[in-house]
Amino acid sequence: MTTARVPAVEPLLDESIHEMLHIGGPCISLFLPPYRQGALSVAATGALKSEIQDAARLLRERKAGDATIAQVLDPLEELAKDPELAGGHQWARAVFGAPEGFRQFLLPEPVSGPVTVAGSFLIRPLLAQLHVPRAFYMLALSKKGVALFRCAGAHAEKIALPKGVEETIEAMEALEPPDHDLENRSAAGSAPGAMRRVRFGTGSGRETQSTYLADYYKSVDRGMSVFLHAEGQPLVLVGVEQDIAIYQKVNTYPNLLREVVQGSPDGFLAEEEMVQGAYAIVRADYMGRAANSLAEANERTSSARLSTELEAILHAAFEGRVSRLYINEDAQNTGIFERGSYRSWGAEDLLNLAAVETLRRGGDAWVLPGDRMPKQVAAIFRY
């Protein structure tokens, strides 16, 4: 018996998911949560073994042959033996298996749900994460200084600050003292060789500190605005309330996101917490933009080119007529839909099927918050 090869875990990329949309069923989809050894959670290998059993049962119920079942499950069995998986991992994973292929992806945010067997992979829970830009930036603020991270593919890499931005307030002051220094200065020492400066203030310590922070953050903002101008990528702030408020007041970069990751980056907030919080903020921002685009489409699109009827949308998606698809993230609609050569392999998520067929034929698919979308689904047709 040949041991199944398990491909390495990949970053979640739009083009990778598009490649999988053309794989035929039966398609198994399952999602593994992050796991840390010693944490009060089910070990990843234990969770995977349980889902493999569920997948085997579902395949048998859907009349898959023994050879097909082996093709689909063998890579999953090998993955369950992976010592790296058993050793703990900070990121969630999406795992997809079918007779024609096996892929696993890192997820910036955990996705929950039971294992599914269907005619296509369950990509609907990933749609919001797929619309997060390929890279964005996270700026950690503290009274000690700032740190800049580039976030991409469920990873954050600390990078050099833009030219002209100092890492600390002290470094900035050494180069360019603030114009409105609230502290007077005087010489001290009895001999010329002992001359040095001492400070005596005219303002409170809190006022002085806030003033210096504002000056420092202005210099950071100038550098960040120049650095990010060409790309226009989102910028997420991390810090405590006072630092965040001062930076937001002096900010001039138009794509600084309003929501922030609250907490001190000086050892009290773990890096993975910062990154996961930042990904959630960027995802929510793009979902909000999608909701706004749907509201505009409702006003401008003729009724002949806009539908909220799932069956009509499914037929249009298979015909390649859906330009944009919007799905209520809280909606549920399970059933069987077969057309042409497509086989459902039993009841499946029909909203997911609409998304798969829309994307396969060059359309775009979004999930929206339930409070921004009263209907289960809406589609804008090309014609």
Side-chain angles (χ1 to χ4, degrees), residues 36-320:
R36 299 175 186 84
Q37 280 192 325
L40 296 176
S41 60
V42 178
T45 52
L48 179 55
K49 289 176 181 177
S50 175
E51 295 199 326
I52 290 172
Q53 293 176 352
D54 291 340
R57 173 182 55 80
L58 290 169
L59 286 165
R60 288 193 294 269
E61 289 176 356
R62 286 156 172 72
K63 311 301 181 185
D66 291 341
T68 297
I69 292 175
Q71 278 183 298
V72 175
L73 296 186
D74 283 354
L76 293 174
E77 297 279 6
E78 289 302 312
L79 179 60
K81 301 173 187 176
D82 185 355
E84 181 181 340
L85 191 67
H89 49 95
Q90 71 181 63
W91 301 106
R93 296 191 191 190
V95 181
F96 300 112
E100 297 177 38
F102 177 92
R103 306 281 287 269
Q104 52 174 333
F105 299 95
L106 289 176
L107 303 181
E109 296 180 81
V111 171
S112 61
V115 60
T116 62
V117 173
S120 55
F121 293 115
L122 183 62
I123 63 163
R124 176 184 165 192
L126 309 182
L127 290 177
Q129 297 188 42
L130 285 173
H131 282 289
V132 170
R134 185 67 58 88
F136 64 91
Y137 293 88
M138 182 174 67
L139 185 64
L141 308 173
S142 79
K143 293 175 180 59
K144 293 181 180 179
V146 299
L148 180 62
F149 297 83
R150 184 179 185 272
C151 301
H155 293 291
E157 177 188 6
K158 187 176 180 181
I159 63 174
L161 291 167
K163 183 178 180 180
V165 176
E166 300 299 327
E167 290 188 0
T168 64
I169 298 177
E170 288 77 11
M172 181 202 71
E173 288 180 347
L175 294 175
E176 186 181 352
D179 295 335
H180 50 269
D181 194 337
L182 297 182
E183 296 174 320
N184 296 300
R185 298 174 186 265
S186 175
S190 57
M195 293 289 284
R196 58 187 175 85
R197 295 285 186 182
V198 295
R199 300 180 178 183
F200 57 97
T202 59
S204 71
R206 183 180 295 274
E207 290 172 349
T208 303
Q209 184 184 59
S210 295
T211 301
Y212 278 120
L213 272 175
D215 280 327
Y216 176 53
Y217 288 158
K218 283 179 184 177
S219 73
V220 175
D221 169 66
R222 285 195 296 269
M224 292 300 302
S225 294
V226 172
F227 174 70
L228 295 174
H229 175 74
E231 298 182 48
Q233 299 288 27
L235 177 64
V236 178
L237 298 181
V238 180
V240 297
E241 185 175 352
Q242 182 190 20
D243 293 313
I244 294 289
I246 294 173
Y247 192 95
Q248 288 175 331
K249 188 173 181 179
V250 301
N251 171 70
T252 60
Y253 180 58
N255 208 12
L256 176 72
L257 301 191
R258 183 176 60 84
E259 298 297 324
V260 302
V261 180
Q262 288 278 0
S264 171
D266 291 333
F268 299 103
L269 192 64
E271 184 175 304
E272 62 190 74
E273 292 179 293
M274 294 193 296
V275 177
Q276 289 171 350
Y279 266 100
I281 288 168
V282 176
R283 174 187 57 80
D285 176 71
Y286 273 72
M287 289 176 71
R289 297 186 189 196
N292 292 338
S293 73
L294 176 59
E296 292 174 4
N298 280 328
E299 295 178 1
R300 301 179 181 179
T301 307
S302 68
S303 58
R305 291 185 52 233
L306 192 150
S307 177
T308 57
E309 299 298 326
L310 179 56
E311 186 170 357
I313 291 171
L314 279 167
H315 283 289
F318 272 84
E319 295 164 2

